[in-house]
Amino acid sequence: MSAVFEQPSLWQRVKPILFGFDGPLLTAVLILAAIGLVTMYSVGFDHGTRFVDHGRNMLIALLLLWLAAQVPPQRLMALAVPVYTIGIALLIATAIFGITRKGATRWLNLGFTVIQPSEILKLATPLMLAWWFQRCEGKLRAPEWAAAAAILLVPFLLVAKQPDLGTSLLILSAGLYVLFFAGLSWKLIVPVMALGAAGIVALIVAEPTICQPGVDWPLLKEYQQHRVCTLLDPAKDPLGKGFHILQGMIAIGSGGLTGKGFMQGTQTHLEFIPERTTDFIFAAFSEEFGLLGTLGLLLAFTFFLFRGLMIAAEAPTLFARLLAGSITLSIFTYVFVNMGMVSGILPVVGIPLPFVSYGGTAMVTLGLAIGILMSIARSQRLMQS
Amino acid sequence: MTELRNVERELDSFRGRLLAAALFVLFCFGLLAARLVWLQVIRHDDLATQAESNRVAVVPVVPNRGLILDRHGVVLANNYSAYTLEITPSGLADTLEATIDALAEVVEVTPRDRRRFKRLQEDSKNFESLPIRTKLSDEEVARFVAQRFRFPGVEVKARLFRHYPLGDVGSHLLGYIGRINTAEKTAMEDWDEEDIANYRGTEYIGKLGLEQAYERELHGKTGVEQVETSAGGRAMRRLAHQPPTPGNTLMLSVDIRLQALVEQLFGERRGALVAIDPRNGEVLAFVSKPTFDPNLFVDGIDTESWRGLNEDIDKPLLNRALRGTYPPGSTFKPFMAMAALNSGKRGPHTIIQDNLTFSFGGRVFGSPESDRPGPKDMRLAIVGSSNVYFYTLANEMGVDLIHDELKPFGFGRKTEIDVQGEVTGDLPSTEWKRRRFSRPEHQKWYAGETISLGIGQGYNNFTMLQMATATATLASGGQRYRPRLAREIVDVVSGERRRIASDALEPLPLKPEQVAVIRDAMGGVPKEGTSRAAFMGAAYASGGKTGTAQAIGLKAGERYSQIKADERKRDHSLYVAFAPLEAPTVALAVIVENAGFGSTSAAPIARRVFDYLITGAYPSEQDIALVREGKATAPVGAPRAATDVPLPSINGALLP
């Protein structure tokens, strides 16, 4: 008799698996995905199967999102150490047996496929750091902070050494966000940021002298120096990266207030925008949808990011809070760096625009990251109910 | 209680930081928004005009490809400009077929043009502009321009074309250029950014031979042009210009007159010849017959011509000098003798009783009918080409010692010549056989297999390039070089000449008195031995060795006389040689496929090469005809001075 009450119906068991998502976050994801698909349809028109492939990547990412959302944060915490350890092991293996292309050793041949292990660390590093701070909750002293710094610096240095400055900085920033949310002293943060700002100003002022041929900069590789100089004066390299920046800016500016309309972008369709389906897709979007479109896109991202921060604020455990906060700010970094690069206020680095740029790996990572956010949001609602 | 408050305080601090993060996000997005307003509102008019008329269309200006000259400055590859009619398939108003049909009413479009266009289209993207017609006459250009309005997506362009003025002379050596295909585009994605930028606008790339090997030198540096274009994409006015730097001139070590002479001497016969200067590794002639006309490939070869070349049983596309491997036959004997001396296995005066047969393990190894029995020392064995002497020698040395002694001469390994695609050949050893075969019963080396190695048969398989390099090493007493087809690169801007280093490799530690034995024996071959007929009356002394190699192995119980009738199963004729005998300036290896004895076909070609290089004598027409038929011995008719003989050239009429 009692069995009838204790045994929930199949529907009741399946319902949370299918639905229990955070409504606002899901709405933001769907809006951004729709923008991504529309834009890809236009820019990928003369580009073979780009649109269909983009859609397929999104479906795969959606499936991963759904799967990751089923994993409760406690289970995720148990995964932190093994995933991070495997990631580091693969990075070391890459440094020893890796495949070198264009002077960079970033890829590892596993026999059946070639992978780029640094991609794993983008999520594994914040995961590991969040796990560490959860473990040391309430007794954070200098040794614990030192250990956290080590957890962050090992993958950062391994990736920077490949060399892959872009990815290593993304790993560093994801880790620093965890440190920031864990309570890193403002006394450390403020001077570093001030120094950075001063450096940028100095760079702009000193551009005419330090970008002369023959001037070597400390720390940076020649191509990195070249990128910074190209940003400061795009006309210097009209066939290379400078061409990208110039044509990107023309595309954005010519879009005007309302844009040239869907499929009407001349810069895009006459192939003036290089890499228009990947890193420079924002230029194509801006040309066709204008200021209204770009501000709309910024708004959609803002909505998405704020919802992510709110999920972090409400999260039940320190681990979940730190992870949610770091993931949200990491996605913000992608958005800001990509848009900043295309609109010409940041140097050209190969960072895609989440949801919009073509690229399977980035889409998969994004799906997993949002899945984790969803899982954290769900665990918090389960706690309340 | 305190713990709870602690958690509470931490949560507060965390939320404070979340707020800070939110503000940071807003600040950064605010920056972006401001930048977007600046670009899209304030600078909109300016940037919109730029986009509309594509005012700053930055057009790469492809540099002129570098020239290729022979060692005396004869032009082997140059460029000429001509008008082409190009179609951009994605920009057409009508179907492609209909457009081409309509075009055919205005300018001539042959079926070959259509086929070639189809082949190009298979390998490119829809928005690329592809030539339907090349080399338009001025009249055709005028006719098309008058009706241009009918053909959106079709344009006349002035382009530079690669031209090989000597046609099929030295085609394997020069190679050719062709349109960059999809596979090459993919490969280019791995290049440095700088190189990728330099190839922006470049449509042609070296595909084979020297054009491929020296691509980076010949390409030059791409220039930039800022042009103002109309809405339709036509260039209206040049705004700024940074001129391209033409590619460098490549000067070869090959003497094209000699190359052409040798190709003529081969006639319709197949084969290869490589001549090297043993003093520096410079290649003087690099012949592979038959040849093909590289001009066919330049603007895209049509399917039919391609099939014709590809399926020809003579394999004109096969570079025999570089990729054709042959058993060396008796030309291997001097090297075997050198190995015997160097390893101490047999002295120069050891006498071997030659009874014309050698039995081993129940098998009988024979000699050609021309051989005479008797006691033989090393010199006599080489001059008279004794088989038994070298069967017994191979048996005494064993396969691995032969391998170890001859490997340093470059047999069975790449010479690292400056073109791509070289093959390794086979210099057998027990280890080699283990690696070569997969089934265990095939991997074991049988002592019986060693015997025929002594006379250059069995698993021995080398390219003429390896044979020539080894002969050069032997002739110079152990000096080794990486052979070089190119000699100098001339910078077109500064005029500076850069020598292409033919790095001397570490010399072989051969004893001069032992080298003298081999040199003396080889000197006997053209004087009193198997090639004396061809070298009768030569003004210099030379050293050489004839060889006859089986084209296919005889089946059990089959006799050579039975298959001799089938031309393609006939033996190959070989000759290795160097001259002058005492201080060699040229070493060569030559093979004439299916031409029988080495003395009848290969040696006469070597004689004429030496005559040309050492005395400057160019054979008479009558003599050339005899050599081509394989009926020549010593030169006949009055020799001509090389400079009096015009170079063969395809009609200069192609050059406007």
Side-chain angles (χ1 to χ4, degrees):
Chain A
M1 206 185 114
S2 61
V4 177
F5 291 99
E6 279 167 20
Q7 191 78 28
S9 72
L10 182 68
W11 171 242
Q12 275 170 322
R13 274 183 295 155
V14 169
K15 198 180 157 196
I17 299 178
L18 287 182
F19 293 98
F21 291 113
D22 183 70
L25 190 67
L26 191 65
T27 313
V29 166
L30 293 178
I31 290 174
L32 288 166
I35 293 176
L37 278 176
V38 167
T39 313
M40 188 59 70
Y41 183 82
S42 175
V43 300
F45 197 69
D46 302 320
H47 217 301
T49 57
R50 274 289 146 98
F51 171 68
V52 179
D53 293 347
H54 194 56
R56 183 205 57 204
N57 288 346
M58 276 190 177
L59 286 180
I60 294 172
L62 203 64
L63 181 73
L64 287 170
L65 187 161
W66 178 75
L67 284 175
Q70 309 305 323
V71 183
Q74 304 90 289
R75 188 79 58 77
L76 216 53
M77 232 173 102
L79 281 175
V81 181
V83 170
Y84 178 82
T85 316
I86 292 171
I88 295 289
L90 287 173
L91 274 187
I92 293 170
T94 307
I96 303 170
F97 319 105
I99 304 169
T100 306
R101 290 182 199 150
K102 292 196 198 180
T105 314
R106 298 175 188 169
W107 300 268
L108 192 63
N109 193 344
L110 294 183
F112 56 96
T113 182
V114 173
I115 59 162
Q116 192 175 341
S118 53
E119 201 64 32
I120 301 171
L121 271 304
K122 284 183 185 170
L123 278 177
T125 309
L127 195 64
M128 180 71 187
L129 281 167
W131 171 86
W132 174 250
F133 283 116
Q134 173 78 63
R135 229 185 78 122
C136 312
E137 193 177 12
K139 46 177 172 32
L140 267 180
R141 309 238 187 292
E144 281 77 20
W145 280 107
I151 292 172
L152 175 54
L153 286 178
V154 168
F156 167 70
L157 291 176
L158 279 172
V159 177
K161 196 122 183 67
Q162 288 181 341
D164 186 350
L165 192 68
T167 309
S168 68
L169 286 178
L170 287 172
I171 294 172
L172 184 70
S173 68
L176 284 177
Y177 293 143
V178 180
L179 262 54
F180 168 71
F181 286 125
L184 189 66
S185 168
W186 283 109
K187 281 180 210 153
L188 268 169
I189 301 168
V190 173
V192 169
M193 287 186 72
L195 212 65
I200 291 169
V201 171
L203 208 59
I204 294 170
V205 173
E207 188 266 331
T209 47
I210 56 176
C211 283
Q212 294 301 326
V215 179
D216 288 330
W217 296 4
L219 293 175
L220 293 189
K221 301 232 179 283
E222 201 187 323
Y223 79 94
Q224 291 160 345
Q225 172 187 356
H226 185 67
R227 277 185 190 175
V228 176
C229 288
T230 307
L231 171 81
L232 296 172
D233 185 4
K236 270 198 181 131
D237 183 18
L239 273 186
K241 290 286 176 203
F243 179 76
H244 294 203
I245 297 179
L246 281 176
Q247 295 299 340
M249 275 163 50
I250 292 175
I252 297 175
S254 67
L257 200 59
T258 53
K260 297 176 187 168
F262 179 56
M263 301 287 292
Q264 303 298 314
T266 53
Q267 285 287 97
T268 309
H269 290 278
L270 292 177
E271 312 223 343
F272 277 97
I273 303 177
E275 300 183 34
R276 64 193 201 287
T277 62
T278 52
D279 291 353
F280 274 74
I281 196 163
F282 179 62
F285 174 83
S286 310
E287 184 185 21
E288 299 198 343
F289 299 101
L291 186 65
L292 292 180
T294 52
L295 291 185
L297 184 62
L298 269 183
L299 214 60
F301 271 120
T302 312
F303 177 64
F304 171 88
L305 296 171
F306 276 34
R307 185 63 204 168
L309 292 178
M310 275 170 75
I311 289 172
E314 312 271 295
T317 63
L318 179 62
F319 170 78
R321 282 197 295 272
L322 296 181
L323 193 56
S326 164
I327 284 177
T328 308
L329 283 195
S330 292
I331 295 174
F332 156 76
T333 310
Y334 275 70
V335 175
F336 179 64
V337 172
N338 178 278
M339 288 187 179
M341 153 184 97
V342 177
S343 58
I345 57 174
L346 290 177
V348 176
V349 274
I351 288 184
L353 185 60
F355 299 100
V356 189
S357 287
Y358 179 81
T361 320
M363 193 67 91
V364 162
T365 314
L366 185 70
L368 284 174
I370 299 173
I372 294 173
L373 275 184
M374 288 290 187
S375 142
I376 292 170
R378 166 183 297 183
S379 74
Q380 163 239 325
R381 255 175 305 134
L382 287 177
M383 292 275 285
Q384 283 173 348
S385 62
Chain B
M1 203 52 200
T2 43
E3 200 166 288
L4 201 64
R5 207 174 297 142
N6 243 346
V7 171
E8 216 38 52
R9 210 171 52 224
E10 259 176 37
L11 209 57
D12 273 350
S13 139
F14 176 73
R15 295 206 168 128
R17 285 183 180 233
L18 275 180
L19 195 65
L23 288 175
F24 182 65
V25 168
L26 280 182
F27 171 74
C28 288
F29 278 9
L31 266 181
L32 271 181
R35 175 69 175 178
L36 290 170
V37 169
W38 162 257
L39 287 177
Q40 297 191 299
V41 179
I42 298 165
R43 292 202 54 205
H44 168 66
D45 288 343
D46 173 25
L47 293 173
T49 353
Q50 286 193 25
E52 202 172 307
S53 57
N54 294 331
R55 251 180 211 288
V56 286
V58 179
V59 184
V61 187
V62 179
N64 287 4
R65 200 172 169 85
L67 301 179
I68 302 181
L69 311 178
D70 92 329
R71 75 184 286 132
H72 299 304
V74 178
V75 177
L76 307 180
N78 58 11
N79 313 295
Y80 67 96
S81 79
Y83 289 109
T84 61
L85 194 59
E86 304 201 355
I87 298 182
T88 310
S90 66
L92 294 180
D94 208 340
T95 64
L96 185 60
E97 280 304 311
T99 308
I100 297 178
D101 288 340
L103 274 176
E105 292 162 16
V106 183
V107 297
E108 194 194 350
V109 179
T110 63
R112 181 177 178 264
D113 290 325
R114 286 175 191 253
R115 287 196 302 266
R116 195 190 52 202
F117 186 82
K118 216 165 164 192
R119 207 179 133 83
L120 285 177
Q121 212 193 346
E122 284 164 10
D123 216 12
S124 56
K125 297 205 183 85
N126 237 9
F127 46 79
E128 277 179 76
S129 151
L130 303 171
I132 174 78
R133 262 294 308 277
T134 54
K135 298 163 197 155
L136 267 71
S137 67
D138 288 349
E139 193 196 335
E140 282 177 316
V141 172
R143 269 212 305 275
F144 173 77
V145 170
Q147 305 200 33
R148 185 156 67 186
F149 63 92
R150 281 176 58 199
F151 302 104
V154 184
E155 265 185 286
V156 170
K157 288 192 179 161
R159 284 192 187 273
L160 275 176
F161 282 90
R162 194 64 160 169
H163 180 58
Y164 304 100
L166 301 188
D168 65 358
V169 175
S171 52
H172 289 286
L173 162 77
L174 293 175
Y176 50 81
I177 63 166
R179 292 182 76 89
I180 300 175
N181 63 28
T182 318
E184 283 155 345
K185 262 176 212 155
T186 315
M188 282 165 105
E189 282 169 15
D190 276 350
W191 288 8
D192 286 343
E193 278 174 30
E194 216 169 287
D195 292 326
I196 293 174
N198 196 30
Y199 272 73
R200 194 168 297 228
T202 298
E203 291 177 344
Y204 293 89
I205 196 167
K207 299 263 182 180
L208 201 70
L210 290 165
E211 289 273 31
Q212 179 189 33
Y214 289 94
E215 169 65 31
R216 295 298 176 88
E217 293 289 348
L218 293 167
H219 180 271
K221 192 154 172 38
T222 298
V224 193
E225 209 173 54
Q226 287 194 358
V227 284
E228 191 179 44
T229 52
S230 70
R234 292 206 162 90
M236 306 298 280
R237 192 160 66 92
R238 196 163 82 179
L239 300 174
H241 182 58
Q242 179 193 321
T245 312
N248 293 331
T249 301
L250 192 63
M251 272 200 115
L252 305 190
S253 53
V254 171
D255 180 341
I256 205 66
R257 223 172 261 282
L258 174 64
Q259 174 94 12
L261 169 63
V262 174
E263 289 182 7
Q264 240 188 318
L265 292 174
F266 266 95
E268 300 296 308
R269 299 172 298 175
R270 300 169 302 282
L273 177 144
V274 177
I276 294 178
D277 188 334
R279 297 168 298 176
N280 48 29
E282 289 179 4
V283 178
L284 304 169
F286 193 81
V287 176
S288 170
K289 283 286 283 188
T291 54
F292 58 88
D293 183 359
N295 290 300
L296 281 177
F297 289 85
V298 170
D299 43 359
I301 189 166
D302 68 290
T303 325
E304 208 153 288
S305 309
W306 169 253
R307 201 177 297 144
L309 283 172
N310 216 12
E311 291 172 6
D312 190 328
I313 52 164
D314 284 346
K315 298 194 182 129
L317 293 179
L318 171 66
N319 187 337
R320 286 171 160 79
L322 191 70
R323 301 177 56 83
T325 58
Y326 306 89
S330 299
T331 59
F332 200 51
K333 288 173 180 170
F335 299 100
M336 283 295 296
M338 190 69 234
L341 294 176
N342 195 46
S343 63
K345 276 282 173 185
R346 203 177 265 184
H349 304 301
T350 311
I351 304 290
I352 297 295
Q353 193 60 40
D354 185 350
N355 297 325
L356 301 184
T357 57
F358 177 70
S359 300
F360 186 88
R363 265 191 76 190
V364 178
F365 296 85
S367 302
E369 288 150 28
S370 53
D371 246 13
R372 294 282 156 263
K376 287 171 185 174
D377 67 354
M378 189 172 275
R379 184 174 193 279
L380 204 55
I382 290 176
V383 174
S385 202
S386 162
N387 275 7
V388 170
Y389 184 95
F390 288 98
Y391 288 144
T392 54
L393 177 59
N395 188 34
E396 282 165 33
M397 290 182 72
V399 59
D400 285 331
L401 182 60
I402 297 175
H403 172 271
D404 295 347
E405 284 291 327
L406 293 183
K407 186 111 195 172
F409 281 88
F411 289 112
R413 66 174 180 205
K414 293 183 177 165
T415 61
E416 295 172 41
I417 194 175
D418 49 347
V419 280
Q420 294 168 34
E422 191 181 0
V423 296
T424 323
D426 300 311
L427 178 66
S429 67
T430 49
E431 166 66 24
W432 169 87
K433 202 177 178 200
R434 235 195 326 275
R435 268 186 288 119
R436 176 65 182 271
F437 296 98
S438 49
R439 292 172 52 192
E441 64 267 33
H442 292 164
Q443 288 177 330
K444 188 182 173 335
W445 184 271
Y446 298 97
E449 293 176 315
T450 309
I451 310 301
S452 49
L453 295 183
I455 60 158
Q457 297 287 353
Y459 291 112
N460 282 322
N461 238 337
F462 311 118
T463 62
M464 282 308 110
L465 176 61
Q466 286 170 344
M467 293 301 295
T469 313
T471 307
T473 302
L474 189 60
S476 64
Q479 297 299 316
R480 294 189 301 164
Y481 295 90
R482 292 194 183 93
R484 284 290 171 265
L485 293 165
R487 201 179 185 202
E488 278 180 336
I489 286 169
V490 187
D491 188 309
V492 266
V493 179
S494 64
E496 188 188 324
R497 285 166 174 261
R498 183 151 40 89
R499 220 186 127 72
I500 294 172
S502 53
D503 319 321
L505 300 169
E506 200 190 324
L508 297 187
L510 303 178
K511 293 192 182 67
E513 65 274 15
Q514 293 180 342
V515 174
V517 171
I518 306 296
R519 198 181 274 173
D520 175 52
M522 288 181 80
V525 175
K527 211 157 70 189
E528 64 220 51
T530 43
S531 64
R532 64 183 179 280
F535 281 89
M536 200 100 66
Y540 49 88
S542 68
K545 182 71 195 79
T546 54
T548 308
Q550 290 170 6
I552 55 160
L554 291 179
K555 293 194 196 84
E558 202 175 29
R559 294 186 73 85
Y560 179 59
S561 54
Q562 291 170 321
I563 59 166
K564 203 175 163 185
D566 185 345
E567 201 230 276
R568 281 179 196 271
K569 291 180 180 171
R570 230 175 266 166
D571 288 345
H572 300 317
S573 170
L574 288 98
Y575 197 63
V576 297
F578 56 90
L581 187 60
E582 290 312 320
T585 56
V586 52
L588 64 76
V590 50
I591 185 166
V592 186
E593 285 186 16
N594 313 116
F597 291 119
S599 50
T600 53
S601 294
I605 295 179
R607 165 78 196 264
R608 277 125 192 110
V609 170
F610 289 166
D611 279 0
Y612 172 91
L613 284 171
I614 295 168
T615 67
Y618 201 95
S620 65
E621 286 298 340
Q622 181 199 0
D623 189 47
I624 289 175
L626 282 172
V627 176
R628 289 162 73 109
E629 287 165 35
K631 290 176 184 162
T633 50
V636 294
R640 299 169 280 179
T643 42
D644 293 344
V645 184
L647 277 167
S649 140
I650 58 167
N651 42 357
L654 271 178
L655 289 168

